[in-house]
Amino acid sequence: MNRSLYHRSILEAAEAAFGAGRLDRPDATASADNPLCGDRVTIDVRVSGARVGALGHVVRGCLLCEAAASVLARDAVGKELGQLETLAESVRAMLESTAGPPGVPWQAFAMFLPVRDFKSRHQCVLLPFAALSIALESARSSD
C-alpha cells in the first residue's frame, strides 16, 4: 500500500461508509464503471426541490472510490444540485491541474490531494461523481 496515497483520513472515510447501501424509493439510480481497474459505483438519489434529499451508494471498488463515495454521501445531503456539479468540477481540477482543493463546505475533499500524483487513480476518486451526475440528470428529466 502506498502510504502517501492511502493516508489516515482516506482510510477513515472509507471505513465510515457514510450513505453505504441502497435507498428505498430513490428518484433516480445510476451506475458508473472504470474499465481500467474494474471499479463500479451505483448511486441512488432522492431530490427534494433543487436539493439532494438523500444519497445512497454501493461501491465495488478500491479504497479511494469507497472514500470518495462516503464523503460525497455525507456532504451532499441538503446541498443544491448546482453545488454538486461545481464540486465535481473542483475535484477534477484539483486532481488534474495545480488547482487547490474545494473550499467550504467541501474542504473534506482536500484529503484526495495526494491522488494528484497518481494519474491512473484520478478516475477512482471521480467515479462517484460520474454516477451522481447521471442520477441527477435522470431525476431532473423525470420531473
Side-chain angles (χ1 to χ4, degrees), residues 95-111:
L95 294 174
E96 296 178 354
S97 72
T98 59
V104 175
W106 310 111
Q107 60 271 27
F109 286 92
M111 76 175 70

Side-chain angles (χ1 to χ4, degrees), residues 15 25 27 33 41 49 56 73-74 99:
E15 187 176 282
R25 298 183 314 270
D27 294 322
D33 298 290
V41 176
R74 182 192 70 199

Side-chain angles (χ1 to χ4, degrees), residues 68-133:
S70 177
V71 175
L72 182 60
R74 182 192 70 199
D75 293 353
V77 175
K79 302 298 188 299
E80 293 180 3
L81 305 184
Q83 286 180 289
L84 295 169
E85 293 165 357
T86 301
L87 171 62
E89 293 166 10
S90 295
V91 172
R92 180 178 300 282
M94 175 187 75
L95 294 174
E96 296 178 354
S97 72
T98 59
V104 175
W106 310 111
Q107 60 271 27
F109 286 92
M111 76 175 70
F112 298 104
L113 193 56
V115 178
R116 178 187 287 169
D117 296 333
F118 302 88
K119 187 174 181 172
S120 65
R121 305 309 300 270
H122 291 184
Q123 190 60 28
C124 300
V125 174
L126 296 171
L127 201 59
F129 292 98
L132 179 60
S133 177

